[in-house]
Amino acid sequence: MGAFHALGYVCAMGAAEGLRAVGVSFAGIGWPHDVVDVRTYRPLLKLQMHAGYNKGMYATCTVLAAQQVGLLRDMSDEELAQTLQEGIEARVSSWEQQITSGAGAAGPLAPVLSEYFDMVPLLGNPAMAVYPNGNEMERGTFAGVDIWGRATLITSDGHEVEFSPEQAGIRPA
């Protein structure tokens, strides 16, 4: 069940990869698991995850339209749904194989973390962490994501501030 913590990140990777495979080259990831327009950092899709136990472990990923979804209207709803489903299933299957082979021993994102970095356009740029109510927590440079999915900002005075998605979100500064 501990590895399930990474599913949102992995599903976001799959959704972005699915869109890229059909020509949506501007699909990237907004930490922790939104799919964003890499040119503007505005959300294309939002992913909601739910995991539980009912005669075995399960997880669901619900994909919701967001601000920029109109950019995807070249595809029918059915084509978009199929593209996202195929991308997510392929990425989750690959990640699952890595986890079961022991590649996730250091943490559930370890097997895919470098690829995840490459898909997050805000990494290395000015950003602000915002509380769930929208108030600003901290400003700095979005410096990284660890193997558990926690984000790190480096403030102007050089301090590292680390937080989980439950504590804050990240927006361009």
Side-chain angles (χ1 to χ4, degrees), residues 57-75:
M57 292 186 296
Y58 72 92
T60 60
C61 173
T62 304
V63 180
L64 306 169
Q67 298 167 351
Q68 296 280 18
V69 75
L71 295 173
L72 305 177
R73 283 294 156 218
D74 288 344
M75 292 182 270

Side-chain angles (χ1 to χ4, degrees), residues 94-107:
S94 170
W95 171 79
E96 180 183 28
Q97 290 173 7
Q98 292 173 309
I99 292 295
T100 58
S101 73

Side-chain angles (χ1 to χ4, degrees), residues 42-159:
R42 292 186 65 197
L44 294 166
L45 306 168
K46 293 190 171 283
L47 279 64
Q48 292 181 340
M49 302 302 301
H50 179 75
Y53 187 86
N54 184 9
K55 299 179 184 174
M57 292 186 296
Y58 72 92
T60 60
C61 173
T62 304
V63 180
L64 306 169
Q67 298 167 351
Q68 296 280 18
V69 75
L71 295 173
L72 305 177
R73 283 294 156 218
D74 288 344
M75 292 182 270
S76 69
D77 290 346
E78 295 79 19
E79 183 183 22
L80 178 57
Q82 181 177 350
T83 294
L84 294 171
Q85 182 177 345
E86 288 173 358
I88 291 169
E89 286 177 353
R91 176 49 85 165
V92 169
S93 177
S94 170
W95 171 79
E96 180 183 28
Q97 290 173 7
Q98 292 173 309
I99 292 295
T100 58
S101 73
L109 278 178
V112 297
L113 193 55
S114 66
E115 292 173 276
Y116 182 86
F117 283 162
D118 293 341
M119 298 177 80
V120 180
L122 197 53
L123 272 167
N125 291 296
M128 66 176 157
V130 293
Y131 290 107
N133 67 5
N135 292 335
E136 184 176 325
M137 173 193 285
E138 194 68 67
R139 284 181 181 258
T141 300
F142 186 10
V145 177
D146 70 14
I147 56 177
W148 294 98
R150 294 179 300 246
T152 301
L153 287 182
I154 298 178
T155 63
S156 60
D157 61 3
H159 287 95

Side-chain angles (χ1 to χ4, degrees), residues 3-52:
F4 274 42
H5 174 75
L7 274 173
Y9 301 86
V10 175
C11 288
M13 292 174 72
E17 289 167 340
L19 291 174
R20 288 177 178 182
V22 295
V24 183
S25 61
F26 54 85
I29 297 174
W31 182 86
H33 37 72
D34 288 342
V35 177
V36 299
D37 182 332
V38 299
R39 304 165 299 184
T40 64
Y41 201 71
R42 292 186 65 197
L44 294 166
L45 306 168
K46 293 190 171 283
L47 279 64
Q48 292 181 340
M49 302 302 301
H50 179 75

